[in-house]
């Protein structure tokens, strides 16, 4: 209630009370004035009537001019009073035509009274038209009296003047009583009307106070409306309607604001979690917003740098004022990755530019894949062209008839045959890779003892090693490694690794194979070790890439295609296993084929998931 007396309620009460006071005051003065005038008027009429009676009686009594007018007057007055006239407190004076006192029935009269405007008017021949009320001092006390004077004529001239005076204290008393009554009534009326005004103003001010309270709440951000605020008013005047409209407006505002805030939250979540980087610049090139992806792509500095520092090769003004809807695209090469940047200006409703949005996309992987694809196509073309060129030149030589000796011809045909075999195996391996890529390889799972399988393969390819004066042996006492796998595919992998060990090891080298069990990780491992040339450290990861070969000529001369280890890696991954390499350049290499012992379960699980996915898709 800190500003209660300045509030609209108290202002209304004040205005209402002042109005009532004014009305009562004015009407009180009017009523009192009117009553007083009427009382004086009736007193005037009484005096006039008495004067008429006196003058009429005097006329009759004064029969001879020898009579003393003053004496006759005294008799007349006395007789009239004894007749029981009602002239109590009435003073009567007889004046001559010049206004001099001839006779006074009630003692002295002040000289000033004989010069009053009533007497002077009568001397001039005019009767009083109203009561002349004035103060006199009698025996030291003041009292108010009313005078009436009339000139009585005989012929054209004034015979005598009659001055009547009567006290008006009774009228004054009546007036005082009336005034007290009116003041009391006024006070009562003011109190009642102030009370009424208070309730009326309170009725008007209450909803306004509620509205004020609501606006204050809204200013602090609280837009919630309690149910009772809606049902607070039973009446339906304009202010209540305003209040209810206001509440509806606040509720609507609340709804719109919460919608905007949820949209904003959604956008912020997208902004923070989107994979693409986003940097927003203002019209002066300062960062307004920047998401985590942009920081990762461009470095932390981008947040504080101006546009020109972050993108030194771009012209800010040109991008900012480019026509609406224009998106400029650039490829940025940043340290070890490629980023595609799109620049688009954003503006306000009038179309004026307000800043620049930069969308950043990491395309390093895409670039690498494109590069690999290009290299792959170049490799395939190259690998096919070499044997075809050889075959073609040998065939042309034969067709030219230059090869006459049979021995030579057989040698030529052997070369053609070998090259054709190489092409066939190359195409076969390419088809195999393509099937793997397209997930068209069907594994024929069976229970296989990996130790037995490795022993078999070593026995089979030992002859090839022996041809190069190498030894190839299987270490005994390997554990039995029973796993579910596709025997022919694993055989293919083992063949490739054993053949590589033979091919890339010099004469007299030792190739050793063994199996082991990692009980802790539940893995069965096949190891193939050679004492060959080894693989340079920086190339050890790359030998599993397609067509990657350390010594192309050597690989080719041994019938290699550069795809064997790539296929082996894919095959191991299809069996949920992996292939690892330890190699010391110049000393030899050891390949480890690692199989999880629960392959079957993992593959079953995978197949189940795939069939569920395809069911869902269909
Ligand atoms: P290739 O058909 O050429 O043998 P691979 O994919 O089987 O293709 O092998 C890729 C390359 O890895 C080979 O060209 C060779 O340079 C190297 N390499 C593979 N095995 C060995 C090994 N045991 N010792 C040395 N180098 C090897």
């Amino acid at each position: 209630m800190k500003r209660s007396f300045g509030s609209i309620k108290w202002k209304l009460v004040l205005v209402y009370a002042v109005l009532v006071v004014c009305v009562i005051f004015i009407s009180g003065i009017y009523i009192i004035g009117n009553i007083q005038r009427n009382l004086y008027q009736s007193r005037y009429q009484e005096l006039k009537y008495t004067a008429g009676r006196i003058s009429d009686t005097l006329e009759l009594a004064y029969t001879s001019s020898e009579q003393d007018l003053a004496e006759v007057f005294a008799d007349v007055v006395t007789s009239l009073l004894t007749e029981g006239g009602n002239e109590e407190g009435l003073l009567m004076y007889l004046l001559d035509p010049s206004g001099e006192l001839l006779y006074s029935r009630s003692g002295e009269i002040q000289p000033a009274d004989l010069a009053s405007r009533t007497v002077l008017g009568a001397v001039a021949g005019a009767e009083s038209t109203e009561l002349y009320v004035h103060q006199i001092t009698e025996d030291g006390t003041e009292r108010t009296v009313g005078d009436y004077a009339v000139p009585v004529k005989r012929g054209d001239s004034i015979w005598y003047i009659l001055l009547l005076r009567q006290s008006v204290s009774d009228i004054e008393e009546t007036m005082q009583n009336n005034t007290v009554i009116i003041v009391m009534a006024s006070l009562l009326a003011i109190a009642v009307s102030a009370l009424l005004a208070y309730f009326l103003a309170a009725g008007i001010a209450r909803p306004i106070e509620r509205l004020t309270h609501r606006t204050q709440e809204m200013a602090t951000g609280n837009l919630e409306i309690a149910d009772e605020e809606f049902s607070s008013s039973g009446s339906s005047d304009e202010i209540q309607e305003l209040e209810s409209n206001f509440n509806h407006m606040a509720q609507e505002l609340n709804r719109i604001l919460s919608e905007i805030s949820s949209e904003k939250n959604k956008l912020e979540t997208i902004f923070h979690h989107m994979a693409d980087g986003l940097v927003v610049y203002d019209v002066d090139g300062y960062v307004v917003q920047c998401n985590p992806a942009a920081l990762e792509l461009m470095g932390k500095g981008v947040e504080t740098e101006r546009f020109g520092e972050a993108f030194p090769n771009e012209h800010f003004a040109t991008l900012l004022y480019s026509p609406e809807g224009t998106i400029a695209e650039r490829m940025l090469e940043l340290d070890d990755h490629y980023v595609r940047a799109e620049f688009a200006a954003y503006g306000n409703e009038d179309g004026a530019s307000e800043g620049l949005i930069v969308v950043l996309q990491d395309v390093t992987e895409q670039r690498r894949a494109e590069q690999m694809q290009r290299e792959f196509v170049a490799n395939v073309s190259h690998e096919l062209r070499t044997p075809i060129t050889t075959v073609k030149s040998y065939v042309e030589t034969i067709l030219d008839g230059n090869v006459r000796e049979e021995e030579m011809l057989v040698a030529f045909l052997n070369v053609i045959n070998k090259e054709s075999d190489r092409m066939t195996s190359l195409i076969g391996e390419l088809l195999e890779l393509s099937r793997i890529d397209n997930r068209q390889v069907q594994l024929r799972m069976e229970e296989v003892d990996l130790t037995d399988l490795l022993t078999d393969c070593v026995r089979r390819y030992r002859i090839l090693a022996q041809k190069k004066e190498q030894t190839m042996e299987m270490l005994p006492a390997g554990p039995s490694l029973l796993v579910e796998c596709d025997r022919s595919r694993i055989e293919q992998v083992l063949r490739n690794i054993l053949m590589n060990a033979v091919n890339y090891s010099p004469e007299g080298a030792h190739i050793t194979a063994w199996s082991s069990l990692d009980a802790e990780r539940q893995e069965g491992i096949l190891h193939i070790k050679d004492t060959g040339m080894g693989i340079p450290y920086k190339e050890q990861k790359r030998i599993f890439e397609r067509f990657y070969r350390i010594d192309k000529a050597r690989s080719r001369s041994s019938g290699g295609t550069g795809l064997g280890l790539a296929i082996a890696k894919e095959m191991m991954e299809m069996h949920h296993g992996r292939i690892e390499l330890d190699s010391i350049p110049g000393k030899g290499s050891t390949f480890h084929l690692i199989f999880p012992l629960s392959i079957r379960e993992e593959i079953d699980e995978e197949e189940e998931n795939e069939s569920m996915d395809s069911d869902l898709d269909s």
Side-chain angles (χ1 to χ4, degrees), residues 563-610:
L563 294 174
L565 283 179
I567 293 173
K569 182 171 169 267
E570 298 281 357
M571 279 301 165
M572 286 307 291
E573 280 172 9
M574 282 176 74
H575 281 85
H576 294 263
R578 61 189 190 277
I579 184 164
E580 285 178 4
L581 164 71
D582 288 323
S583 182
I584 301 171
K587 293 225 160 153
S589 316
T590 310
F591 284 86
H592 311 278
L593 301 178
I594 304 160
F595 297 83
L597 292 178
S598 53
I599 295 178
R600 180 72 250 175
E601 286 159 32
E602 289 191 25
I603 289 177
D604 281 351
E605 228 169 74
E606 193 177 78
E607 276 171 2
E608 217 165 90
N609 289 343
E610 268 176 19

Side-chain angles (χ1 to χ4, degrees), residues 429 496-505 528-530 532-536 539 542-552 554-556 558-568 581 583 588-591:
E429 283 178 354
N496 189 273
I497 288 172
L498 287 168
M499 293 300 291
N500 278 351
V502 173
N503 288 337
Y504 301 106
S505 301
I528 294 144
K529 179 179 189 258
D530 65 55
M533 58 178 39
I535 298 161
E539 319 227 27
R542 300 206 61 192
I543 58 165
F544 297 100
E545 287 176 18
R546 295 173 189 191
F547 289 115
Y548 194 84
R549 288 173 292 189
I550 299 163
D551 180 348
K552 281 200 174 124
R554 188 184 179 112
S555 160
R556 225 174 262 130
S558 62
T561 56
L563 294 174
L565 283 179
I567 293 173
L581 164 71
S583 182
S589 316
T590 310
F591 284 86

